[in-house]
Amino acid sequence: MTAEAPTTEVRNAEFKQRFVAVLTDLQDTAAEDGEAMALIGHLASDLCGNLQQKSWSSAKSVITPQVYNDLLKVFQQRGNEYHEAGKTKHAYAIQALAMSLISGTMRADQQLAQGEKILDSLIDHSVSVYRSLNPVKLN
């Protein structure tokens, strides 16, 4: 007897549970852990710059399916590398961005759509704070 792969419905339900847990934790982290929020802001700011966008929300809106797939692969690889190296805050930052990215594909679920807005707002704020503390210096 072989185990069957989980259905899309089961995978979506599992994602939703993880998403809620990450969002709840992130809301607490925003008030308590400036380092983790700075890492989120730094990573998201770099990605925004690469996509020539001013915010994470706007960057997500211009991501092509190919870039989406590539980002998820990089997030998975780097997240695992950071986790194995004991860099939990770095892995946490990647997880937050990955959750935001994935949730953008699941907006038909009203709860996820609302959560995505909250998460993206937290990420956008982190980008703004990061940039205000690390202004770009032009030569």
Side-chain angles (χ1 to χ4, degrees):
M1 177 183 278
T2 59
E4 290 185 35
T7 64
T8 299
E9 186 175 295
V10 168
R11 285 193 314 267
N12 288 351
E14 289 172 355
F15 173 81
K16 190 172 183 178
Q17 287 179 332
R18 285 192 307 262
F19 181 82
V20 168
V22 167
L23 181 57
T24 301
D25 185 63
L26 188 57
Q27 288 174 307
D28 293 338
T29 297
E32 298 172 4
D33 192 342
E35 182 183 0
M37 297 310 293
L39 288 168
I40 291 169
H42 183 184
L43 180 57
S45 178
D46 287 351
L47 291 169
C48 292
N50 290 342
L51 294 166
Q52 300 177 336
Q53 299 297 310
K54 294 185 181 204
S55 70
W56 174 249
S57 298
S58 62
K60 280 178 53 177
S61 71
V62 301
I63 290 176
T64 65
Q66 182 62 50
V67 171
Y68 173 89
N69 290 332
D70 291 347
L71 270 176
L72 284 182
K73 287 177 188 173
V74 170
F75 285 164
Q76 183 177 21
Q77 177 188 352
R78 295 287 165 97
N80 288 337
E81 289 170 359
Y82 286 138
H83 181 72
E84 290 170 8
K87 294 182 175 186
T88 56
K89 291 183 184 189
H90 290 76
Y92 183 76
I94 287 175
Q95 180 184 30
L97 295 179
M99 289 290 196
S100 170
L101 200 60
I102 295 166
S103 67
T105 67
M106 303 175 80
R107 291 183 185 130
D109 182 308
Q110 289 296 334
Q111 290 175 321
L112 279 174
Q114 290 173 339
E116 178 193 13
K117 288 178 184 177
I118 295 167
L119 179 55
D120 288 353
S121 178
L122 285 168
I123 295 170
D124 285 340
H125 180 72
S126 296
V127 168
S128 178
V129 169
Y130 174 79
R131 287 180 176 166
S132 71
L133 297 173
N134 298 284
V136 175
K137 295 176 182 155
L138 302 175
N139 293 329

